[in-house]
Each structure stands twice: as structure tokens, then as C-alpha cells.
């Protein structure tokens, strides 16, 4: 997995901007749908989003080649994403999915009990429903106007502390927020692979390392 970590690390920094096309909304339908959406990303969008990434850091040559439309570089990305998922996510997916479904159950009960207002009021503390505005503890100051498009709420096992949304306001409005992680008296934080910590951060790595026991 070290090779995939080194390849993907520059694309998904532990904080700050990362390309929107790497997290397509179709991913809610499963890995195959999400990967198909990534593969179908128009070349001009890949170019635009990767160029935005280069303003913050120096990227490896293969990523710069991908930004310029090199098919082999893009296929390298697809292979790395697939291999990383197989090694770092798939073995723990039962636990991850259980936490996501638990969050969805809470939101569903709130929606049935009090409609959209109750649903939005039930979200984690970093999100505050003050009709007609949903406030979020977001890393930067920005406004996202729905303009009648609705909002897709996505609970995430890997999102920590603050929610995430697309940088491009023209994309489908999506708000990714953290699921609740039950506290454990003695978390087994030493079993997570070192390479996993490098990619997803030590906190996320510790969570992954503590599950499955």
C-alpha cells in the first residue's frame, strides 16, 4: 500500500483544497459507480481542478501530466484509487457502513418526527440550523447558495471535525459531515499501518486501526 499512499498523498492533503472530481456524488451508490464517475470526468475539468491544486503545492510529474490530459497518467490514478480502496478501506467496510447507517437512522427518525426542520436541527454540533440558513464550522469563510437545487447530506466515517463541500459552487450541492464515533476506553491505536496515517491523517488512521477487533 506504500506505493498507492505516495501516489495519492499529493492529491488529497490532510487539510485544504483537493480536486472535486475525486469525490463524485455517484459514490453514494457504491465504489463501482463512484469510480465510473471519476473515469468519466471531462478532461477540461481535470485540468482546471488540478491546476488549482498546483497553486498551493508542487505536484509530482505524473499529476502534472494528468492535468495536461495524458491518458496513461489518468489510468495510473484509477489504478491507485482501486488498489488503495482494496487495501485500506474494504477490509473495514462492514464497520464503516454500520456507523453510516446508524447516522442515517437518526436523521430519518428526525425527519419523520418533525420534517426538514427537525432533520437539519439534528445534525452534529458543527452544523447549526438557523432558518433559512444552515451554518457550518467550515475551514474558510464562504456562502453556498442552493438556488432551489436542494442539498445532499452525506454522513462520512472519515470526515473529522468540520464538514466538507465542493469547491465549485456550480456542482450539485453536497455537504459531507462527520458521523459520531463511540468512545472506547482503550483504543488500539497502534495497529494502523503507518502509510495509512500518512494519507488520511493520524486521527483517521487510529480509528481505522482500532476497528475489527
Amino acid at each position: 500500500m506504500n506505493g498507492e499512499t505516495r501516489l495519492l498523498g499529493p492529491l488529497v492533503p490532510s487539510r485544504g483544497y483537493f480536486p472535486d472530481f475525486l469525490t463524485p456524488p455517484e459514490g453514494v451508490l457504491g465504489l463501482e459507480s463512484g469510480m465510473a464517475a471519476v473515469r468519466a470526468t471531462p478532461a477540461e475539468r481535470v485540468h482546471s481542478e488540478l491546476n488549482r491544486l498546483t497553486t498551493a503545492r508542487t505536484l509530482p510529474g505524473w499529476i502534472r501530466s494528468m492535468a495536461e490530459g495524458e491518458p496513461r497518467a489518468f489510468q495510473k490514478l484509477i489504478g491507485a484509487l482501486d488498489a488503495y480502496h482494496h487495501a485500506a478501506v474494504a477490509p473495514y467496510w462492514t464497520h464503516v457502513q454500520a456507523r453510516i447507517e446508524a447516522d442515517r437512522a437518526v436523521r430519518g427518525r428526525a425527519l419523520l418526527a418533525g420534517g426538514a426542520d427537525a432533520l437539519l436541527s439534528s445534525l452534529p454540533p458543527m452544523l447549526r440550523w438557523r432558518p433559512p440558513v444552515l451554518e457550518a464550522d467550515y475551514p474558510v469563510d464562504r456562502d453556498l447558495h442552493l438556488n432551489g437545487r436542494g442539498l445532499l447530506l452525506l454522513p462520512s466515517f472519515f470526515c473529522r471535525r468540520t464538514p466538507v463541500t465542493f469547491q465549485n459552487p456550480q456542482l450539485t450541492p453536497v455537504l459531507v459531515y462527520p458521523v459520531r464515533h463511540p468512545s472506547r476506553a482503550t483504543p488500539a491505536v497502534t495497529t494502523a499501518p503507518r502509510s495509512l496515517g500518512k494519507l488520511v491523517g493520524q486521527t483517521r488512521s487510529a480509528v481505522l486501526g482500532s476497528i475489527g477487533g
Side-chain angles (χ1 to χ4, degrees):
M1 189 171 64
N2 288 337
E4 289 76 23
T5 300
R6 287 193 297 271
L7 285 172
L8 297 174
L11 285 171
V12 284
S14 58
R15 60 184 303 173
Y17 170 79
F18 62 90
D20 289 336
F21 76 85
L22 292 175
T23 52
E26 292 86 350
V28 300
L29 302 177
L31 176 64
E32 291 185 6
S33 296
M35 292 293 284
V38 173
R39 291 189 189 95
T41 306
E44 59 270 21
R45 180 178 171 190
V46 173
H47 176 81
S48 173
E49 294 186 7
L50 289 180
N51 276 354
R52 179 180 175 85
L53 192 62
T54 62
T55 63
R57 58 188 58 84
T58 301
L59 298 178
W62 79 273
I63 297 180
R64 295 196 299 270
S65 295
M66 182 167 59
E68 298 307 317
E70 170 56 54
R72 286 179 298 180
F74 195 80
Q75 190 56 42
K76 188 174 185 177
L77 167 67
I78 297 300
L81 288 172
D82 188 65
Y84 190 85
H85 180 273
H86 179 76
V89 179
Y92 312 106
W93 186 245
T94 299
H95 180 85
V96 172
Q97 188 67 14
R99 298 312 314 154
I100 293 173
E101 292 302 327
D103 185 274
R104 287 176 173 168
V106 171
R107 308 308 154 214
R109 288 194 295 269
L111 180 64
L112 290 173
D117 279 323
L119 166 62
L120 294 173
S121 297
S122 77
L123 291 170
M126 76 285 297
L127 297 163
R128 296 168 297 279
W129 176 231
R130 306 183 194 277
V133 176
L134 180 63
E135 297 179 352
D137 293 334
Y138 201 69
V140 297
D141 186 19
R142 64 173 295 192
D143 295 325
L144 176 61
H145 298 281
L146 301 183
N147 297 323
R149 294 175 294 170
L151 178 66
L152 178 61
L153 296 170
L154 292 181
S156 171
F157 186 90
F158 300 102
C159 183
R160 305 292 290 197
R161 294 183 295 275
T162 60
V164 179
T165 189
F166 289 139
Q167 187 278 331
N168 185 350
Q170 302 305 314
L171 297 175
T172 301
V174 173
L175 185 65
V176 181
Y177 64 90
V179 299
R180 177 180 175 273
H181 294 281
S183 60
R184 299 183 67 168
T186 310
V189 299
T190 60
T191 58
R194 184 177 301 175
S195 56
L196 179 61
K198 290 179 180 178
L199 181 60
V200 302
Q202 293 304 324
T203 300
R204 299 177 186 177
S205 176
V207 171
L208 285 176
S210 68
I211 65 179

